[in-house]
């Protein structure tokens, strides 16, 4: 029974990946919107873009990690 | 431990997406001691060999007009050098070899892990935790050595309203200590997730009905992983630079 | 799980089928091995980079920058020299043109002077000839006039004689003079 609950929990934690996807999309989309408005400044902000993407994605990875832990380690 | 029984009772469709991360001793079957030569050792050694090939053999000509390998090596050098200089300023140039070491190691470990049947050291949390906490401890020590107690001023926002300052300070301290965790788990998680997903798709490929879709999926995820391997190396490096900048100039 | 593996035997992370129990990443038995070899790897890469690769690439890059700067300097010098040569050429061309113009002007002047002299000479000659001619014409006219008077006087005297008169020389002279007018 506990195992099944853990699997359900893993599935719920996987929703977090979708949330991270929203975050990554927001970052990339806003970067693109800004870059198209001011292409001259776009190149100088790619580092910021990647940092933002990394932070947004890290939280999705945390959700994934929770899912993995529930699946394999609990 | 639920999976132990589940995976074996499934019959035809068996998923062992995490088995690829098991270290195996190359010589002998004994327990893996800290000095045993395992497949981890092998692929780490191959990464070192690749770095040596690219950065030393590739540049052995010292040509004014570079050969292909030499221009790749120079490109990576220039890329990381510019990143360190842009993010950390002139004072950061001193630490350029360390950052270059991190970048090249992660880059080659990530890309070598994409070779089928290879082992991916950067998917191991122990490995990335050493990298992440190494950066964290180095940066913290460096911050205190260079700035003394004023390094703590990083957590005390002087331009925030006085009421909010203690709350912000608590949040800043927590976020500071979360840094190495997210720093290391980001890398391990990305690599592990990609490899595990490929393995899951490969498991589905055993069913004739869905195997074309599964193989297409593997191809697509593999393409994504090629991208992720480079981006994660870049992200790890640039975040190291950002943390280093905090140690060098804590007051922004 | 972590507590379990600490006390367990070496094979605790792998089940009988050879697949992982739990996440291989979290199996504490395998961690020292990875950490040890990771540190060896990092040290190896660090020494490869800091002792050999990075100084070499830095020297190659600076050498290239130096070469490019030198080449650019040489190119700049050559460009200057070319500009100089062009200036000299332009100057020579302008000089030649000026000289040619001077020669043309001088020649024109000479010709003009010669022409003026010749014209003056010709004018003088013409004037002299005209004067001479006029003189000759006047002489001829004077001669003719005096001849006319003489002929008239003789004719008048002959006529008077032929008419049976006596030729009074004084009267005839006065009459002829009155008739011809003050021409002579």
């Amino acid at each position: 029974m506990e195992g099944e609950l853990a699997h359900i929990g893993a599935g719920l934690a996987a929703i977090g990946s979708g949330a991270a996807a929203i975050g990554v999309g927001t970052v990339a989309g806003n970067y693109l919107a800004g870059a198209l408005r001011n292409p001259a400044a776009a190149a100088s902000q790619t580092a910021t873009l990647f940092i933002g993407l990394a932070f947004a994605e890290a939280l999705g990875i945390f959700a994934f990690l929770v899912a993995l832990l529930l699946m394999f380690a609990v | 431990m639920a999976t132990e029984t589940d995976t074996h009772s499934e019959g035809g469709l068996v998923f062992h997406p995490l088995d690829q991360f098991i270290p195996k001793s190359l010589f002998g079957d004994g327990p893996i001691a800290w000095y045993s030569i395992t497949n981890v050792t092998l692929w780490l050694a191959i990464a070192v060999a690749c770095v040596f090939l690219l950065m030393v053999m590739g540049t052995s000509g010292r040509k004014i007009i570079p050969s292909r390998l030499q221009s790749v090596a120079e490109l990576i050098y220039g890329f990381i050098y510019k990143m360190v200089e842009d993010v950390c300023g002139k004072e950061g140039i001193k630490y350029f070899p360390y950052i270059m070491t991190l970048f090249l190691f992660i880059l080659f470990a990530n890309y070598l892990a994409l070779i089928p049947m290879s082992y991916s050291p950067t998917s191991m949390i122990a490995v990335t935790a050493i990298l992440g906490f190494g950066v964290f401890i180095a940066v913290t020590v460096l911050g205190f050595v260079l700035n003394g107690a004023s390094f703590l001023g990083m957590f005390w926002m002087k331009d925030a309203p006085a009421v909010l300052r203690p709350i912000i300070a608590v949040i800043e301290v927590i976020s500071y200590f979360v840094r190495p965790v997210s720093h290391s788990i980001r890398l391990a998680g990305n690599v592990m997730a990609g490899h595990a997903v490929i393995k899951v798709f490969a498991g589905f490929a055993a069913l004739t009905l869905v195997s074309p879709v599964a193989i297409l999926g593997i191809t697509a995820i593999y393409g994504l992983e090629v991208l992720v391997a480079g981006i994660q190396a870049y992200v790890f490096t640039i975040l190291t630079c950002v943390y280093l900048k905090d140690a060098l100039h804590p007051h922004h | 799980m972590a507590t379990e593996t600490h006390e367990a035997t070496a094979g605790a992370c792998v089940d009988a089928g050879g697949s992982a129990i739990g996440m291989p990443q979290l199996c504490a038995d395998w961690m020292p091995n990875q950490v040890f070899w990771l540190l060896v790897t990092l040290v190896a890469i660090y020494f490869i980079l800091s002792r050999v690769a990075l100084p070499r690439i830095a020297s190659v890059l600076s050498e290239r920058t130096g070469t490019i700067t030198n080449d650019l300097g040489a190119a700049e010098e050559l460009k200057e020299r070319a500009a100089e040569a062009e200036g000299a050429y332009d100057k020579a061309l302008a000089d030649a043109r000026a000289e040619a113009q001077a020669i043309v002007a001088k020649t024109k002047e000479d010709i003009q002077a010669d022409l003026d002299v010749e014209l003056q000479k010709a004018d003088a000659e013409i004037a002299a000839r005209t004067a001479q001619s006029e003189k000759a014409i006047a002489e001829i006219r004077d001669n003719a006039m005096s001849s006319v008077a003489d002929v008239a006087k003789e004719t008048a005297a002959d006529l008077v004689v032929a008419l049976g008169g006596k030729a009074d020389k004084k009267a005839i002279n006065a009459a002829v003079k009155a008739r011809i007018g003050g021409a002579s």
Side-chain angles (χ1 to χ4, degrees):
Chain A
M1 187 60 201
E2 215 175 278
E4 276 79 34
L5 281 179
H7 279 76
I8 291 169
L12 288 175
I15 295 172
S17 307
I22 294 172
V24 170
T26 308
V27 172
N30 282 337
Y31 171 77
L32 193 61
L36 288 176
R37 263 168 224 259
N38 187 3
S44 62
Q45 296 308 314
T46 41
T48 324
L49 167 73
F50 279 113
I51 294 173
L53 285 179
F55 280 131
E57 199 195 8
L59 301 174
I61 293 293
F62 284 157
F64 168 75
L65 194 74
V66 169
L68 272 185
L69 287 173
L70 287 172
M71 284 279 285
F72 296 106
V74 174
Chain B
M1 291 298 169
T3 49
E4 203 178 350
T5 48
D6 287 356
T7 46
H8 288 294
S9 59
E10 262 175 277
L13 197 60
V14 191
F15 294 107
H16 295 295
L18 298 182
D19 281 6
Q20 58 180 323
F21 301 120
I22 298 173
K24 288 187 185 71
S25 201
L26 291 181
F27 308 106
D29 286 333
I32 293 167
W34 61 271
Y35 52 82
S36 322
I37 295 176
T38 56
N39 47 2
V40 186
T41 320
L42 174 68
W43 287 96
L44 287 174
I46 292 175
V48 174
C50 286
V51 170
F52 185 80
L53 271 181
L54 176 65
M55 302 306 284
V56 176
M57 302 311 275
T59 60
S60 60
R62 296 164 180 265
K63 294 188 190 98
I64 292 294
I65 299 160
S67 59
R68 282 178 204 158
L69 266 185
Q70 192 186 333
S71 55
V72 170
E74 282 169 11
L75 212 69
I76 294 176
Y77 179 96
F79 178 66
I80 302 298
Y81 194 89
K82 197 170 163 294
M83 185 199 289
V84 174
E85 200 176 21
D86 285 354
V87 178
C88 307
K90 290 278 175 212
E91 300 89 341
I93 296 297
K94 260 193 301 205
Y95 310 103
F96 167 64
Y98 302 99
I99 290 168
M100 190 76 174
T101 305
L102 282 178
F103 178 73
L104 280 176
F105 168 68
I106 297 170
L107 189 75
F108 276 103
N110 280 357
Y111 274 121
L112 287 171
L114 286 174
I115 297 171
M117 309 302 291
S118 72
Y119 188 82
S120 40
T122 42
S123 73
M124 303 307 278
I125 286 166
V127 170
T128 58
I130 292 292
L131 295 175
F133 278 91
V135 168
F136 174 76
I137 292 166
V139 161
T140 309
V141 168
L142 200 66
F144 278 112
V145 167
L146 290 181
N147 304 294
S150 76
F151 181 60
L152 291 172
M154 199 176 82
F155 304 114
W156 196 253
M157 293 283 156
K158 288 213 171 56
D159 41 1
V163 188
L164 290 178
R165 272 182 216 167
I167 304 166
I168 291 177
V170 170
I171 295 173
E172 286 282 320
V173 168
I174 292 173
S175 85
Y176 187 79
F177 282 98
V178 168
R179 271 178 181 184
V181 178
S182 74
H183 200 188
S184 53
I185 287 182
R186 178 183 302 113
L187 176 59
N190 265 295
V191 177
M192 192 204 319
H195 286 244
V197 167
I198 288 178
K199 269 278 144 66
V200 170
F201 271 105
F204 275 119
L207 293 179
T208 327
L209 202 63
V210 291
S211 63
V213 182
I215 288 165
L216 270 180
I218 292 175
T219 316
I221 296 287
Y222 194 91
L224 182 70
E225 282 308 296
V226 170
L227 220 76
V228 164
I231 288 176
Q232 286 309 315
Y234 173 71
V235 162
F236 192 97
T237 317
I238 199 162
L239 283 177
T240 305
C241 289
V242 170
Y243 298 161
L244 184 61
K245 184 200 77 183
D246 280 348
L248 297 174
H249 322 279
H251 305 296
H252 302 285
Chain C
M1 163 155 177
T3 48
E4 246 178 282
T5 44
H6 275 308
E7 297 119 10
T9 51
C13 299
V14 179
D15 64 19
S19 48
I21 302 167
M23 289 170 74
Q25 278 85 353
L26 296 182
C27 179
D29 287 0
W30 293 335
M31 282 183 182
N33 181 263
Q34 295 157 16
V35 171
F36 170 68
W37 288 113
L38 171 72
L39 292 178
V40 170
T41 306
L42 287 181
V43 169
I45 293 179
Y46 175 72
F47 277 104
I48 287 173
L49 288 182
S50 66
R51 290 293 143 90
V52 187
L54 297 185
R56 184 183 289 176
I57 294 176
S59 76
V60 168
L61 286 181
S62 66
E63 198 178 319
R64 181 172 310 144
T65 327
T67 312
I68 288 172
T69 316
N70 284 347
D71 285 2
L72 281 180
E76 195 67 32
E77 203 175 297
L78 286 178
K79 203 172 153 195
E80 256 167 41
R81 235 185 268 167
E84 249 168 50
E86 205 190 339
Y89 168 76
D90 278 351
K91 196 168 168 289
L93 199 66
D95 284 358
R97 208 170 269 159
E99 209 174 313
Q101 253 158 6
I103 289 170
V104 166
K106 197 165 169 286
T107 315
K108 225 183 236 173
E109 233 167 60
D110 285 358
I111 290 170
Q112 193 65 44
D114 283 1
L115 207 62
D116 284 355
V117 168
E118 291 295 323
L119 273 176
Q120 257 171 358
K121 239 189 233 171
D123 277 355
E125 206 171 308
I126 287 167
R129 283 217 189 141
T130 311
Q132 216 174 346
S133 304
E134 270 174 2
K135 211 171 152 195
I137 289 169
E139 227 166 73
I140 290 166
R141 197 199 285 154
D142 284 356
N143 286 349
M145 275 315 210
S146 58
S147 305
V148 166
D150 285 350
V151 170
K153 278 172 200 170
E154 273 171 28
T155 312
D158 285 351
L159 275 173
V160 169
V161 171
L163 288 173
K166 199 183 168 235
D168 188 354
K169 212 168 175 190
K170 246 185 199 168
I172 289 167
N173 273 3
V176 168
K177 208 171 195 175
R179 268 304 208 190
I180 294 168
S184 63

